[in-house]
Amino acid sequence: EMVSVSDYGFSIDKYEVTNAQYAAFLNAKGNQAEGGVTWLGADSEYVLIKEQGRRFTPKQGYGDHPVIEVSWYGAQAYCAWAGKRLPTEEEWQQACQGRDGRKYPWGSSLGSGNANIFGSGDGYERTAPVGSFPSGASPYGAMDMSGNVWEWTASLYKSGSSSRVLRGGSWLD
């Protein structure tokens, strides 16, 4: 599901990509190596997708949680497979803040109950199912743009760098 950032002429996914969605992508394409890394860091102790044989499935109870341990190349490949693209840093920021430049997607103060942040105080030890904090929606209706997991953009960190920009913070910070 997409939300329209109509006053700026683009759309962005309403929800973060889930483990179930990313597993379907991996089942179609495999966990390829690109840029010296695999699309999914399957050897990480934190990854929530398991591989059995040549089949990828979300770990029990995590199908609707956002995918983690994905390289920038893996995020870009997923988007291409899904007929989409990564947003630029500027697009991501606009979809998050809206026209009024608010500090958080939901407004100007941190508050509580708006995002999956700071560990288990919100009921989730790590990731939360996507869309679990509806009061934290951006002005355009995009969910989880603060907290839960970091999100890749298409933008370079700085000119001449190969590092890409992450946005949104995570369940930890």
Side-chain angles (χ1 to χ4, degrees):
E1 183 176 348
M2 305 284 285
V3 295
S4 174
V5 186
S6 56
D7 42 345
Y8 290 92
F10 69 94
S11 294
I12 194 166
D13 279 354
K14 181 173 183 169
Y15 301 104
E16 296 161 316
V17 175
T18 66
N19 289 304
Q21 291 169 316
Y22 204 79
F25 159 68
L26 292 173
N27 287 326
K29 300 298 246 176
N31 190 16
Q32 298 183 35
E34 193 174 349
V37 295
T38 54
W39 288 345
L40 177 72
D43 58 346
S44 167
E45 66 181 287
Y46 301 109
V47 73
L48 298 172
I49 295 175
K50 60 185 175 184
E51 182 180 9
Q52 293 177 314
R54 298 176 83 94
R55 187 101 183 118
F56 294 88
T57 57
K59 289 186 177 179
Q60 183 68 32
Y62 290 99
D64 61 350
H65 285 239
V67 66
I68 58 173
E69 302 295 329
V70 173
S71 70
W72 179 84
Y73 297 99
Q76 181 183 34
Y78 173 84
C79 288
W81 175 78
K84 302 175 184 182
R85 65 174 176 81
L86 288 171
T88 66
E89 177 183 15
E90 293 80 12
E91 288 171 334
W92 189 97
Q93 197 72 31
Q94 188 60 50
C96 180
Q97 290 183 313
R99 296 189 72 108
D100 60 6
R102 57 190 59 197
K103 186 172 182 177
Y104 302 101
W106 55 84
S108 60
S109 62
L110 186 58
S112 65
N114 295 318
N116 178 19
I117 51 177
F118 303 127
S120 62
D122 55 20
Y124 299 97
E125 186 63 32
R126 292 207 161 106
T127 62
V130 300
S132 291
F133 297 88
S135 63
S138 80
Y140 299 98
M143 305 297 294
D144 301 312
M145 294 195 84
S146 185
N148 220 10
V149 299
W150 288 99
E151 299 171 5
W152 286 112
T153 73
S155 300
L156 290 170
Y157 180 67
K158 62 181 178 178
S159 182
S161 167
S162 62
S163 298
R164 299 292 174 156
V165 175
L166 284 166
R167 284 285 174 245
S170 74
W171 57 269
L172 184 59
D173 55 4

